[in-house]
Structure formats: structure tokens, C-alpha cells
Amino acid sequence: MINKTAVLLGLQWGDEGKGKIVDVLTPQYDIIARFQGGPNAGHTLIFDGKKHVLHTIPSGIFHGNVINVIGNGVVIDPIIFQKEIEKLQENGVPFQERLLISKKAHLILPTHRILDAASEAAKGAAKIGSTLKGIGPTYMDKTGRNGLRVGDILEDDFVLKYNELKEKHLKILSQYNFEYELTEMENQWMKSIAFLKAMTIIDSEHYVNNALNQGKKVLAEGAQGSLLDIDFGSYPFVTSSNTVTAGACTGLGIAPNKIGDVFGIFKAYCTRVGSGPFPTELHDEVGERMRKEGHEFGSTTGRPRRCGWLDIPALKYACMINGVTELFMMKADVLSIFDEIKICTHYRWKNEVIDYLPYNATENLEPVYTSVKGWSTDLTQISHQDQFPVELKDYIAFISDAVGIPITIVSVGPDRTQTISMR
Ligand code: GDP
Ligand code: IMO
Ligand code: MG
């Protein structure tokens, strides 16, 4: 029998709680491997009364005897990476023996960040709402075959290559009417490159496949969410990588026949940060209460997240694209404040009732809701599913029936311990 990788990824627009659950599941694995995205991600972990936010480093880093791999599909900003490592150092986390970085991961240059900002500024009201971490321009250079990779920093001609790419960027920037400061960021970046050099840099595709062949258990950690996927998200309001299960194959070098469980994470409602369509978005006091109760402010940028009811057609779509085998429902506790909870089951669009997201459906897409009774009970102290109020059990059953996939974990608070198994 083939030893397969498990994949854990977000099914909505990101921030579903991936970091928390990866941390919870890590003791069951030998390797946690990030496969795409970069410091646009902000994965929050809370345990022992302390909060940690990771951007580039996989969420298994706080556990001993587990190796964390930053895969080839990830893009790394050395400055942000160094800051993350320094935080781990402050917390006494032995990162050196736990962290491996792919030679093939691409580097985010200071000029990629500036290009991201210049591009967003030029778009004006049509901006993507990017995290301004340089993600889009870095992946553009990757597919445009101009990029710099982590392995390049070990070569003698690295500075030469860096300068060549920088010059290309400066030419592009001269076409924008955009002011920027580069020197200081560049100095800092070069220092961080030296820091990165001291890490263990490997051919991670060989490492992961050898580990699988030896029977080791691997969990691939996604970033962002399926509705932000470059191919299947609400284009152009998406990120620049494949956030779906297939991204774990290309982002780690794992063959499709070596993908096993696919854990799909979703919030009991929906949030989105940045621009783009969001059919169930609430522009009223209900949305405001959701944001407040769920502390829906970005982990990376601090921006308020847009909030709305759960969207079943969008969830089904994400499950189809990803081949989800188990669903994890997060932040159930946040909905405790509502007497009535709505679930979008269909959309009304051009006088038709549909259950899929149509191409370019930015306007005139009206959610069709089913209302259910809320549980109006504090869930945060619950330790077993038997203690769940009946209305919550009904909510869980409604969703897993509608999607056709079991919900095997329900999260009732941000702490590691507030995680209920439904098995
Ligand atoms: P990620 O990007 O998917 O890892 O998610 P983020 O960390 O960006 O956002 C999730 C936020 O929700 C964080 O602030 C978590 O601490 C918090 N969180 C995770 N699970 C729960 C939960 O079940 N209940 C509540 N109230 N908060 C949660
Ligand atoms: P995690 O891993 C939520 C959003 C941005 C913007 C769009 C493009 O924490 O779930 P980018 O910087 O990637 O070019 O921005 O994608 N975005 C996220 N939203 N969670 C994330 O990551 C995100 N990463 C990017 O807000 O709308
Ligand atoms: Mg996040």
C-alpha cells in the first residue's frame, strides 16, 4: 500500500483557522510541509495563554520530533522570515533542527514588494486588496522564468543575478508614477539573505518522497483559501498561487497518487479580506456583530475582514476542486450570539435559481437562505460533542448533508484545547 500525504487547506477566502488545526494535528505527523503562498499568510496559534502568528514557517514548528518543510511552491521574503525566526528564538523554540527549506522556493525581492504596491496604486478603486507582500510580482517572475530561488543564494553569482532582476524591476517601476525608497530595504534584505544561508537548505522533493517511502506521516499545510486560487478563485480578485490540493503536488513534488486524506477547513460563516465578490456579505449590523465577536481583523495586515453567512454552493465547489474527504468547521462559538442563523443554499441569478458560482457573477447574484434556530449557548468550555446543544448538532448535520462530506472536527474557540473531535 502507498503511504500517502494528508493535505489540509482552506475552503473559503483564507483565515479559516488552518494554523490552529495544523498545530492540533501535528503530534500525529512526522513532517509538516507548506506548499504555496508566502508571507501573505498569517496563521494564528494559541496555546498556554500565548498567541503566535506564523507567515512562512509551517504551523508544526512548536512541537518536538517533527520536521517542518518550506516547499518549492512557497515564496519567501528573507526579511519577514528572519523576523519570524527571531520570534521563535525569543520563545526558545529550537527551530534549527526542526526546519528545512527547499532550494527551489522563490525569493521575494524588495522590488517585488514595491511593484506590488505600485500595481495596486495604479489600479485605484479596482485594486485587488493585496497584502502588499510582493506575492503577485514574485510568482509572475517565477512563471516568467526570471525569478531568484533560495538555492541561488549559495552560488557565487547571486549578487549579479539579483542586480539583473532588480534592474528589470526598476525599468518597469519607471513606467509607474510611484514613489518608493529602496536602499534601506535592500540593505536589510541582503543581511537577511546571509541569515537565510545559515538555515538548512535542501532538495525538499527528495526529502519528502524519501520520508513517504520510509512510512513517515506527512501533512501538507495550505495557505489562503480555495476561493483565492489563481485558477478557481474569483479571478482577478485572487492570490497568485494554486491554493487547492493540486498545489500540494506541484508545491512539494508529491505525485497525485500519493495524496490521501484532504482536510477542508471552513468557518461556520464566511469572511473575506481584500476586494472581490462575496455573495453572502452582510453590510448591516449583523455583519458588524459577527466581525466583533469573531475578532475578524487580518492576522497579517490588521484590516477588518468582511463578514457574511455560510455559503453552501461555494463550499461545495471548493470540496469538488479539492477532493475533500473530511470537513473541519471552525469558529462555531462565534455564532452563539445569534438567535437565528442563515445558510445560503442557492443563488438567484438572472431569474434563475442556481447552486453554483457563475463566471463573472459580480452583480445581481442574490443568495437564497434557509434560516435555522441558533443555539444561543456558550460553546467555549465544551470538551465533548455530547455536550453540544441540539441546534448546533442540527447545523452540523445540515452542512454535512448538503455538501455530502462528514464534519469530523468542530472548533469552539481559538485555543489548541478548544477543538472537538466528532469521531
Ligand atoms: P489561518 O490563516 O487559516 O491560519 O487563520 P487566521 O489565524 O488568519 O485566522 C483565524 C483566527 O480565528 C485567528 O485569530 C484564530 O486565533 C481564531 N480562531 C481559530 N479557531 C477559532 C475558533 O474556533 N473560535 C474562535 N473564536 N476563534 C478561532
Ligand atoms: P491565510 O493563509 C486571507 C488575499 C488578500 C487579497 C488577495 C491577494 O492567512 O489564510 P496577495 O497578497 O496574495 O496578492 O493578495 O488575497 N489574501 C488572503 N486573505 N488570508 C490569507 O492567507 C490571504 N493571503 C492573501 O487579502 O484579497
Ligand atoms: Mg490567516
Side-chain angles (χ1 to χ4, degrees), residues 10 13-19 34 36-44 53-55 116 120 127-137 139 221-225 228 236-241 243 271-276 298-301 303 305-306:
W13 286 282
D15 302 329
E16 296 89 351
K18 298 174 290 293
R34 263 283 296 273
Q36 46 68 235
N40 47 350
H43 295 181
T44 314
V53 182
L54 297 168
H55 302 285
D116 198 359
E120 285 286 79
K127 71 175 183 196
I128 308 295
S130 118
T131 58
L132 303 179
K133 303 294 178 200
I135 304 297
Y139 279 114
E221 174 180 359
Q224 290 78 56
L228 290 170
F237 301 101
V238 292
T239 191
S240 296
S241 65
T243 61
T271 65
R272 174 165 204 168
V273 61
S275 329
S299 315
T300 297
T301 57
R303 290 178 293 178
R305 295 178 184 143
R306 300 153 65 192

Side-chain angles (χ1 to χ4, degrees), residues 136-375:
T138 305
Y139 279 114
M140 278 165 73
D141 272 338
K142 176 179 176 173
T143 51
R145 299 161 295 183
N146 293 313
L148 279 183
R149 299 184 291 175
V150 169
D152 294 333
I153 70 177
L154 308 172
E155 306 289 328
D156 293 336
D157 60 353
F158 175 67
V159 175
L160 198 77
K161 278 185 172 163
Y162 168 82
N163 282 324
E164 267 176 23
L165 186 52
K166 182 181 86 173
E167 288 307 321
K168 271 189 191 152
H169 292 165
L170 295 183
K171 265 199 202 122
I172 303 170
L173 279 166
S174 68
Q175 293 160 27
Y176 287 99
N177 181 17
F178 188 77
E179 270 184 45
Y180 58 89
E181 198 291 316
L182 177 60
T183 316
E184 202 184 307
M185 223 203 306
E186 196 173 39
N187 290 340
Q188 210 186 345
W189 194 83
M190 284 297 178
K191 280 187 202 150
S192 296
I193 285 289
F195 184 88
L196 186 59
K197 244 184 182 168
M199 296 287 139
T200 312
I201 297 171
I202 60 157
D203 290 307
S204 61
E205 63 278 31
H206 286 293
Y207 179 84
V208 172
N209 279 289
N210 286 340
L212 281 171
N213 291 340
Q214 290 162 13
K216 297 249 167 77
K217 294 198 75 186
V218 181
L219 176 66
E221 174 180 359
Q224 290 78 56
S226 303
L227 304 179
L228 290 170
D229 180 89
I230 182 71
D231 281 277
F232 302 107
S234 41
Y235 194 87
F237 301 101
V238 292
T239 191
S240 296
S241 65
N242 280 117
T243 61
V244 295
T245 305
C249 295
T250 56
L252 290 170
I254 296 172
N257 67 337
K258 289 186 179 165
I259 300 291
D261 293 325
V262 179
F263 305 129
I265 299 211
F266 69 101
K267 280 182 197 176
Y269 48 97
C270 285
T271 65
R272 174 165 204 168
V273 61
S275 329
F278 180 176
T280 62
E281 181 171 15
L282 293 163
H283 298 279
D284 57 6
E285 180 255 353
V286 178
E288 201 57 57
R289 285 176 68 201
M290 227 180 245
R291 182 175 311 110
K292 199 160 164 241
E293 185 67 14
H295 304 286
E296 295 297 355
F297 296 89
S299 315
T300 297
T301 57
R303 290 178 293 178
R305 295 178 184 143
R306 300 153 65 192
C307 294
W309 297 116
L310 186 67
D311 184 334
I312 297 275
L315 194 60
K316 273 164 106 170
Y317 180 73
C319 288
M320 174 181 83
I321 299 297
N322 287 303
V324 172
T325 57
E326 292 181 36
L327 288 168
F328 299 165
M329 186 171 86
M330 310 300 289
K331 304 191 95 160
D333 54 301
V334 174
L335 294 186
S336 297
I337 56 168
F338 298 111
D339 301 331
E340 183 199 25
I341 296 170
K342 289 188 183 176
I343 309 169
C344 166
T345 56
H346 297 83
Y347 310 120
R348 197 166 285 119
W349 189 57
K350 296 184 176 170
N351 298 323
E352 255 186 277
V353 174
I354 56 172
D355 64 356
Y356 61 91
L357 268 170
Y359 184 79
N360 272 357
T362 40
E363 279 163 39
N364 308 323
L365 190 73
E366 188 196 327
V368 179
Y369 290 110
T370 292
S371 285
V372 297
K373 192 168 172 284
W375 41 90

